[in-house]
Amino acid sequence: MNVKNLMTEDLLKKNNMVIDLKNLTIKKAHDSLVTGEYTSVELATAYLEQIKKSDKDIHAYLSVFNDVIPQAKKADEIIKSGKAGMLTGIPIAVKDNILIKDKIATSASKILENYVATYDATVIEKLKKEGVVFLGKTNMDEFAMGGSTENSAYGPTKNPHDLERVPGGSSGGSAASVAGNMALVALGSDTGGSIRQPASFCGIVGLKPTYGAVSRYGVMAMGSSLDQIGPFGKTVEDAEILFNVIKGQDRMDSTTIPDKKDEKLSINKLKIGVPRDFLKIGGIDKDIIQNFEDSLSKLKKLGHEIVDIELPNLKYSLAVYYVIVPAEVSSNMARYDGMRYGKRVSGATGIEDYFLSRQAGLGREVKRRIILGTYVLSSGYYDAYYNKANIVREIIKEDYKKAFKKVDIIATPTTPGIAFKIGEKIDDPLQMYLEDIFTVPINLAGVPAISIPSGTKKIDGKDLPIGIQFIADYSREDKLFFVGKNFLGEL
Ligand code: GLN
């Protein structure tokens, strides 16, 4: 199936009415719901039909819920009573590492096969209050470790623009669900690029919020000092609406920060910094560079000022990230012991059970990181690796601090390449890690960043998406939304 077919099939006829899922936004859907043009049940049905049609090929979902229609009925009641919020009745997909009470949450791992969540993540609680309709849980790299969704224990997700290619990862299922019109918006998590890279590969918008802006309570921890939950949408406005609902300080996550009062952005011409030296590192696809330069010209035409900036220590980011992340992973993964929850391989007695369960239940990438992390945290190496990485992390933060004294926004490509073929990088972890070159420094610093579609490149007859990444200072998501909307012509 090619993307053209997918799109015409999206115009689903429902009760003599066409719901154009491809061009649907939260506001459009909200308007139609409150004016009675269609009901939440009809909207949810349209998405379920699209899932039925497309997902056998794309495999964005690990589970589609059997209570979608009852949820939509409830939303319809709220709408009828005149109490609908912007998200009431809006169908949404959720990455499988985020807990929804009474629903299976596997994190795409065998070790959590059939694990049923016992409570709601804070973000889910907030969305439930709004009356959203949860369609299901999406595929991902196991425990969010990876950049292609190939590390899922349940098979890879395909890119809706080319089924031979990856959708990116680790939130590849969420990105593909939105890009394939199988959900209006979706939630993902981003530790080193897992929202922005799949957004870029799938041609949609993805936001990694400021560290602490969104509660991590109820998301399965990967790298606790880097993880953030964030939204996917086809438009910047959709991502913004979703972000505004899920953000906020939470007593269940002590790293959350107080919500910034929505100040109105007083300027509309921004100073955009480009770290030219950092872009000169090798290995960046020439189509990406060309697209990025074109995007900069477009930004200039829109009236923004483009200046060169220096971020001299960003070149150490990948090395630092791949010490800190495995260290945190090795600690966070210790809880999956097959005894308290998840898969248990028994037969042996005592500690052997633990070894057997982890051996059978965890995939290669997860094991690789546990081993690496245990090594960098072991006595004798702790100072040489883990401590040093943390020191360099502070230096990287300083780079951003200095830069944001001079500019409002920093722009880079989101990824060094276009969506690659399934199987192309899976046996070369280093190649896979290099995918994250532009995204991991942001998580190390904790600042927010957004990936915005910036064009396509025709390869093998398919139009493959490219993304541009905008980065802002702490809690300045408002600037990201402004520049993103301006860039996409949403303003
Ligand atoms: N691809 C990166 C990694 O494998 C990022 C993952 C993520 O953000 N969860 O660590």
Side-chain angles (χ1 to χ4, degrees), residues 144-147 169-170 189-194 222 321-322 325 369 436:
M145 297 174 212
S170 63
S189 68
D190 189 313
T191 305
S194 277
M222 175 186 162
Y321 177 87
Y322 279 102
V325 161
R369 295 197 193 195
D436 306 326

Side-chain angles (χ1 to χ4, degrees), residues 2 29 39 70 72 76 144 215 218 220 252-254 282 385 393 396-397:
N2 66 28
T39 63
D76 278 331
S215 170
M220 295 179 200
M252 302 306 282
D253 174 1
S254 60
Y385 297 111
R393 181 179 188 175
I396 291 168
K397 277 188 199 168

Side-chain angles (χ1 to χ4, degrees), residues 120-130 134 217:
D120 280 328
T122 297
V123 291
I124 298 299
E125 211 179 281
K126 285 174 184 257
L127 290 170
K128 278 188 176 172
K129 273 194 199 132
E130 295 289 315
F134 297 100
Y217 180 67

Side-chain angles (χ1 to χ4, degrees), residues 66-87:
N66 55 16
D67 64 348
V68 172
I69 298 302
Q71 288 182 61
K73 278 188 181 150
K74 264 198 197 157
D76 278 331
E77 276 164 31
I78 302 173
I79 295 164
K80 256 193 228 141
S81 72
K83 293 199 185 101
M86 190 55 83
L87 288 181

Side-chain angles (χ1 to χ4, degrees), residues 322-323 326-327 371-378 381-383 385-386:
Y322 279 102
V323 170
I371 292 167
L372 257 170
T374 311
Y375 178 77
V376 300
L377 287 177
S378 57
Y381 295 108
Y382 186 98
D383 283 336
Y385 297 111
Y386 185 66

